[in-house]
Amino acid sequence: MGTLTVDLGERSYPIIIGRGLLSQAGSHLKKCGIRTGSPHLIITDSNTAPLYLEKLQSALESEGFQIVTAIVPAGEQSKSLAVYEEMMTRAITGGLDRKSAVIALGGGVVGDLAGFVSATYMRGTYFVQVPTTILAHDSSVGGKVAVNHPLAKNMIGAFHQPVLVLYDVDTLQTLPDREVSAGLSEMVKHGLIWDESFAHWCRDHAAELLALQPEALEYGLEKGCAVKAEVVSRDERENDLRAILNLGHTIGHAIEAIAGYGEFLHGEAIAIGMVGSAKLGVRLGADPSLETETVSMLKALRLPTVLPGHLSTDDIMSAMSHDKKFTEGQMNFVVPKAIGSVEFVRGISSDMVRDIVDELKKGEA
Amino acid sequence: MGTLTVDLGERSYPIIIGRGLLSQAGSHLKKCGIRTGSPHLIITDSNTAPLYLEKLQSALESEGFQIVTAIVPAGEQSKSLAVYEEMMTRAITGGLDRKSAVIALGGGVVGDLAGFVSATYMRGTYFVQVPTTILAHDSSVGGKVAVNHPLAKNMIGAFHQPVLVLYDVDTLQTLPDREVSAGLSEMVKHGLIWDESFAHWCRDHAAELLALQPEALEYGLEKGCAVKAEVVSRDERENDLRAILNLGHTIGHAIEAIAGYGEFLHGEAIAIGMVGSAKLGVRLGADPSLETETVSMLKALRLPTVLPGHLSTDDIMSAMSHDKKFTEGQMNFVVPKAIGSVEFVRGISSDMVRDIVDELKKGEA
Ligand SMILES: NC(=O)c1ccc[n+]([C@@H]2O[C@H](COP(=O)([O-])OP(=O)(O)OC[C@H]3O[C@@H](n4cnc5c(N)ncnc54)[C@H](O)[C@@H]3O)[C@@H](O)[C@H]2O)c1
Ligand SMILES: NC(=O)c1ccc[n+]([C@@H]2O[C@H](COP(=O)([O-])OP(=O)(O)OC[C@H]3O[C@@H](n4cnc5c(N)ncnc54)[C@H](O)[C@@H]3O)[C@@H](O)[C@H]2O)c1
Ligand SMILES: [Zn+2]
Ligand SMILES: [Zn+2]
């Protein structure tokens, strides 16, 4: 079992990573100041509930906690204002007060939704993340919470830090293969932006990671979370540094948007986006091995690196133009200089970006 | 023109109170760091828009600001998630980004709604309050923003401080008489909890205040805002002290809830609530003049001090039992000790409270 700390002054919190943690949840919540006097709400989804809800709920109840639950349909659609309103109703009928906690049991969808409920129910309650996907090593740390607007993803949200991230790696054993790879995409991203040797470790241990070997998972999640925690500690509100966490996301979000959410998992779309970023890096002067290495890492993790030809370059460009980082023919991008190091570059011409999107359809340079 | 400061470290902001301020809005926004590069959204209501929207909008546009607007139906019903979602759509279609401001032009309804939009659009934008009611001297200061849930008022919200409160007292001239009195109810509340001589000043200048005499208004609003600012500066998140701002509100909210929102204006309901609090104070040992003085102040401001007989005591008691301050036959109340000084008392028996609600129907003690 390992413990990291997200260092944010009085809002600091631990990330506890290990096996068998669900059954110890009660004592961990107590250590974080959550009390048994108020009811607490677990929000989970329809895939996660049958697997882990009873275990978490009974672990908490056996320590004297009063628990109410809400199960939302699995999938991105649950990050909506409609589901958010239902959760508010559940919180009220369940008697939650300002000392209550909202507990997210699930992946990034449940984490983002429950976090926004926690941020805004009675102007803020305690928030606990119990991530059950690999991707959620990214989403559960850092306090960005949100739901989607029909016109744009993550448009409605807040910064609301959890008081605890309790990461039971045993829960990951039931993840579908595609979700495993998609989660590892954000893991290798944390290597690519911050830690060259960790990026290489991800590639060298791809087989163990894909096989959900617990020691490899624990190590990889700890390293990934550590990078995220470090970046967030230095720039909680994304004034500057935190933007590097968006490596691959500008192109990735555009792919997700135009392919129709669902064709690509988030981690898959940003894998292609990270190849695009590497291509940009090379154009802006990095060694060409940057691109080939990036591609080989992602392939080792069974992630896509080529953009399917049926997605139109025009559509991708226009989806990116809705991105806040785009202004008047100029774009801002997180660009790698080498494996493990990135910079934020402003004023990249949209013509260059268009070239790169076209190139992404051709695969290997 | 007077300027106060709400002192909250890096989130400190000015409250500017004076005449003719709408037409100077552009330069005040600029001084607060709001830039012309991004579009800004004015949210106002159907009563306020025809009176003041064009004036504010053209003042801002003449200083180079790009403005989009949204007009919501006047009334508490606009503090709903449905209207909130419409405002989010407007913000997106208007192209707002993270450097944009949401500007509330109106009373507390518009302020609370626009504030919650600002708190959560892209996880937070600049927020400017341009209050146009007397009540809003209370609601525009302190950063509590919220919308209502069908089951409970102000249940969904955040703490989100404005960067500027720009209070043009000229706008108050068009307020209906009942709204004037209702707003003065919160003004005298600020005297009752904090400043004996200001409470007496309110009574002694009731005629000028009711006649909207500008000098009296400016002085009263400045004093009222100063009390609010002081309390909020000491306890932004309502850990303890800030609760005193709820004088009269436990009973007042119950009256509003059971009478059907609309029969009483907020300020009217809390006027009756403050008489109830004074009665409680006397029962707990304060001098009986506390009650008679409170009643005379409220009457001078043409506020109700008696509970209409058709409102059932049982209903009021049960509405209060939904209040967070109520647990197991015991209630917590802000109780005056004397004019200008209150304390937070826990564990008042619900039998005593019931007696007082009954007494409130009888008028003068
Ligand atoms: N807040 C942030 O900083 C941040 C960062 C990255 C991504 N995100 C968000 O995260 C979301 C994606 O997260 P995700 O990939 O975890 O998606 P997800 O929550 O939808 O989970 C993926 C799928 O796995 C299922 N699942 C979850 N745990 C399982 C388990 N242990 N066993 C079997 N199945 C399980 C889920 O039901 C779902 O079908 C997106 O909405 C994205 O916007 C947020
Ligand atoms: N956030 C806080 O700290 C806080 C504190 C107290 C009250 N509130 C909230 O404030 C709201 C009540 O505020 P309010 O009393 O200002 O209500 P309001 O905003 O509904 O305004 C009252 C009425 O006056 C009209 N109006 C506004 N300005 C006018 C003008 N200059 N001339 C003519 N008509 C005008 C409005 O259209 C409305 O019909 C409630 O929702 C309450 O919950 C919030
Ligand atoms: Zn991501
Ligand atoms: Zn009030």
Side-chain angles (χ1 to χ4, degrees), chain A residues 135 138 186 189 245-247 249 253 256 266-267 270:
Chain A
L135 186 129
D138 183 11
E186 300 273 15
K189 179 196 79 180
L245 297 169
N246 294 324
L247 179 72
H249 280 61
H253 282 153
E256 282 180 282
H266 175 71
I270 67 150

Side-chain angles (χ1 to χ4, degrees), chain B residues 135 138 186 189 245 249 253 266 270:
Chain B
L135 187 130
D138 183 11
E186 300 272 14
K189 178 196 80 180
L245 296 169
H249 280 60
H253 283 153
H266 176 71
I270 67 151

Side-chain angles (χ1 to χ4, degrees), chain A residues 279-292:
Chain A
K279 286 178 185 290
L280 252 184
V282 173
R283 293 231 185 176
L284 297 178
D287 191 277
S289 67
L290 172 69
E291 183 184 341
T292 49

